[in-house]
Amino acid sequence: MIGLGTIVNVAAIIAGGVCGMLFGRLMTPRLQESLNMACGVCVLFLGSAGAMQGMLSVAEGGALVSGASLLIIVSIVLGTLVGEIIDIDRWVNRLGAWLKMKSGSSNDASFVEGFVTASITVCVGAMAVVGSIQDGVYGDHSTLFAKAILDFIIVMCFSCTLGKGCAFSALPVGLFQGSITALAVLIAPLMTDAALANLSLVGSILIFCVGVNLVWGPRIRVANMLPAVLVAPLLAFLPIAL
């Protein structure tokens, strides 16, 4: 069944959100704060690991060298410029505020933060793109099933401290991955190994930024940096390597 991967992924996110909220009610405020900090540290290292994997390579003689600096600068600067002009952060927060009102969560002070944080974390990444294309072209759900397990754990942890807003990240995941699955035949030729490597690298850096916001409080408008994950794959088609 085409699209089953995204359906399972969405269900896993909702289930993770429900489990997280149930566990969160059993925690003291101090424990919730500590768990939120722990989640932030984990996200920092997940983002760092993905970024280092894309930037570091082993040269002849076993020396460790770094690269892709220009790719990162161009992708994130151009992406942020576009995102700031559109002001994606404002639109995402408005969607979160609308969902907060419609879900009867007016008294939940962390609803919008939970929605935005979880949405960016589970949407950004090569697994979402590759898995959705595999689902649409080959009917192969394995990548999205694996992502569903990861997202369940991530959203459950976030929901313990940030509340029910995290569960509503299922909405953008469903729209994003569902759209890619529907357009998979058209998108697949563009997702070369180089394009996917670029997307994974820049996506990992954005995930690192989410971790910064979790540990030190909202400092970076990560939503306004999201166009960078569109710029990065396009740069793979330039005649010169960045």
Side-chain angles (χ1 to χ4, degrees):
M1 173 184 170
I2 301 298
L4 179 62
T6 294
I7 293 172
V8 171
N9 200 167
V10 167
I13 290 172
I14 294 172
V18 172
C19 291
M21 284 184 286
L22 292 175
F23 293 147
R25 290 172 183 170
L26 303 176
M27 297 180 183
T28 62
R30 179 181 175 182
L31 186 56
Q32 288 184 351
E33 182 181 356
S34 296
L35 182 59
N36 187 61
M37 191 69 66
C39 287
V41 171
C42 291
V43 172
L44 283 172
F45 274 92
L46 287 172
S48 298
M52 292 301 100
Q53 184 178 17
M55 294 181 67
L56 300 179
S57 60
V58 180
E60 290 185 17
L64 196 63
V65 296
S66 64
S69 299
L70 188 56
L71 166 70
I72 293 170
I73 293 170
V74 173
S75 298
I76 292 183
V77 169
L78 285 181
T80 302
L81 179 63
V82 172
E84 286 289 345
I85 291 172
I86 302 173
D87 201 358
I88 299 173
D89 184 76
R90 180 170 67 91
W91 290 105
V92 172
N93 277 277
R94 286 183 64 179
L95 174 59
W98 181 80
L99 290 171
K100 177 179 178 179
M101 180 184 66
K102 292 297 182 180
S103 63
S105 307
S106 300
N107 296 325
D108 187 347
S110 61
F111 184 98
V112 176
E113 180 187 358
F115 170 72
V116 174
T117 299
S119 295
I120 293 174
T121 304
V122 298
C123 278
V124 174
M127 285 186 78
V129 177
V130 174
S132 298
I133 291 174
Q134 291 173 338
D135 194 346
V137 176
Y138 307 110
D140 179 1
H141 317 305
S142 57
T143 300
L144 289 185
F145 284 174
K147 180 177 179 291
I149 296 172
L150 294 174
D151 289 352
F152 171 84
I153 297 170
I154 290 170
V155 172
M156 181 175 65
C157 292
F158 282 171
S159 298
C160 287
T161 57
L162 297 177
K164 69 168 70 173
C166 299
F168 283 86
S169 62
L171 177 60
V173 167
L175 292 174
F176 178 63
Q177 293 180 185
S179 298
I180 293 177
T181 297
L183 300 172
V185 176
L186 300 176
I187 297 174
L190 301 176
M191 289 295 103
T192 62
D193 290 342
L196 286 171
N198 289 0
L199 182 138
S200 181
L201 171 57
V202 173
S204 294
I205 293 173
L206 298 192
I207 289 174
F208 177 87
C209 293
V210 171
V212 170
N213 285 346
L214 283 171
V215 174
W216 289 285
R219 295 172 178 269
I220 304 172
R221 291 190 292 272
V222 183
N224 282 353
M225 301 170 71
L226 285 175
V229 298
L230 300 178
V231 175
L234 293 177
L235 293 179
F237 296 95
L238 290 178
I240 56 173
L242 294 181

